[in-house]
Amino acid sequence: MTEQTINTGIDAKPLVPMPKAGALFGMGLAELTELMAGLGQKPYRAKQVFEALYKQRVGSVEEMTTLAVELREKLKADGWYVGLPEMVQTAVSVDGTERYLMKMVDGETVETVWMPDGDGGERGDGSEAAEEEAGEVETPEEAVAGVDAGLSTASAKSADSGRDDTSFWGRRGQGRDRAYFGTLAATGFRRATICISSQVGCAVNCQFCLTAKLGIKRNLTAGEIAGQVAAVLNRHKIQIGKDRINLVFMGMGEPFLNYDNFMGSVRRLVEGVGIPESRMTVSTSGILPGIEAFAKETLRPKLALSLNASNDGVREQVMPITRKWNIAALLEAVQKIPLRTREWVTFEYVLLGGVNDQPQHAREVLALLAGMRAKVNLIVWNPGPGIAYHQPTVEDIAVFQKMLIAGGVATYIRRPRGRDIYAACGQLKRTVAEEQLVTIGA
């Protein structure tokens, strides 16, 4: 499909243009075919490069062993390189979550998160990933667990915690060893989720989010977005086709303010790496032109809209972008998306104590979503320095969820992952000096 440019009308600092570089990762087959033709090579060479980049996930031109040595040397001499982001630092949570500081070729950094067994965010969205999470329940008590000794039991749902894995692997494995189903299965996990950034910083300025404090520096390229995934897959030796991997475009930045590069990365990940779009979810704060463009895509991830309030007054306070596109306009655009069979739209709702978590807010949410094929993910606010909100009470969370369910809206509490290392929702902030990170390889 022809890539399109959308005009958001957002007033933000000018983005620093990405310097033109010879990164191969991020290029499509047509671009690689053109490159090979310019080097006097036949089209099959482009397919070999494409396979090496996305299927084999090589880290250097030297590793493209299907190419003749002379061609590899020519590529390097002309300034071409693979260009995967460099994973320079990592922090590991007590619950197994890992947060990575990813450095791009120009030195800019973003954060990417690995969550073994995910966070339950796909439950109820109609996908295969949702079926895998069926029956997993997060309680209000677990969702508000602090960063203390109880975190490992409260927010960490390990591979074999409270689940009938014997019958699960019996049904799936038919007597075969777990290792037959990939690296994750061999270590006891059913799946994993990678949370990806789309911009260096963010321009949306959600008041409850640490990333908002960074402002915006520049967009990531399609290769830099998809490259985060490849780098994490390589770190964990993931076998696409065996291991079950979910992707969420919910890291730093607003994907729909970098629409073309975001969609370009989706195409590389689907057509190249081999991860189905049904295992991808993109979250937007509510960029109306982006939602309208997204509705026209034939290859697209699932959509999650960050609602976070039940009326425009509250939403303007916590998400100033509401002054540009109100809730009614966003819901109208969402309802025009041609949903696939069994697909449901996810509405994310960050619960802020005393701000948007009361029964009247739940009643207003029910009115907003009436008649829609929608599910709600409740996210208990994750604390961060310098942000003057507080978590809701266990009682308020329970009442809010019960009211939505009683009103006919499937509602789930998303499992917090990596709070102790600032890897949870709303906590990514390109941490370098604030916490003690562990350098990979140390």
Side-chain angles (χ1 to χ4, degrees), residues 152-336:
S152 60
T153 56
S155 71
K157 293 291 185 78
S158 65
D160 299 311
S161 175
R163 304 187 311 201
D164 185 6
D165 275 354
T166 301
S167 61
F168 174 83
W169 291 108
R171 292 192 304 272
R172 188 181 178 205
Q174 298 179 340
R176 289 172 291 201
D177 186 85
R178 287 189 186 187
Y180 176 84
F181 298 99
T183 306
L184 288 171
T187 53
F189 295 109
R190 297 184 179 185
R191 62 187 180 276
T193 297
I194 303 174
C195 180
I196 315 155
S197 293
S198 57
Q199 295 179 302
V200 181
C202 187
V204 176
N205 197 29
C206 297
Q207 298 299 292
F208 51 83
C209 180
L210 280 175
T211 309
K213 292 181 174 292
L214 298 175
I216 182 70
K217 294 201 73 173
R218 71 167 174 86
N219 288 329
L220 294 181
T221 66
E224 289 171 333
I225 299 171
Q228 296 168 66
V229 177
V232 175
L233 294 178
N234 287 346
R235 171 171 168 79
H236 292 279
K237 299 179 173 59
I238 294 301
Q239 304 172 59
I240 296 299
K242 289 188 174 183
D243 289 306
R244 296 178 173 185
I245 298 296
N246 300 322
L247 305 180
V248 292
F249 296 84
M250 300 182 184
M252 294 168 56
E254 163 56 66
F256 284 0
L257 288 180
N258 186 17
Y259 188 84
D260 288 345
N261 287 325
F262 153 65
M263 282 305 305
S265 73
V266 169
R267 295 184 188 97
R268 303 298 170 261
L269 290 165
V270 174
E271 299 164 358
V273 177
I275 301 175
E277 68 269 30
S278 60
R279 286 193 172 271
M280 304 179 188
T281 304
V282 59
S283 175
T284 179
S285 59
I287 308 301
L288 184 60
I291 297 173
E292 292 172 339
F294 189 71
K296 300 173 184 177
E297 299 286 354
T298 54
L299 186 156
R300 59 171 177 78
K302 297 167 293 184
L303 179 68
L305 176 66
S306 292
L307 185 58
N308 302 329
S310 58
N311 59 66
D312 287 332
V314 175
R315 196 169 191 267
E316 282 183 16
Q317 294 176 31
V318 299
M319 301 180 72
I321 198 169
T322 307
R323 299 181 191 124
K324 189 167 187 66
W325 297 297
N326 64 23
I327 293 175
L330 297 178
L331 295 184
E332 182 181 358
V334 167
Q335 291 184 80
K336 293 179 180 177

Side-chain angles (χ1 to χ4, degrees), residues 381-393:
W381 177 69
N382 295 301
I387 300 183
Y389 289 106
H390 61 83
Q391 291 186 329
T393 66

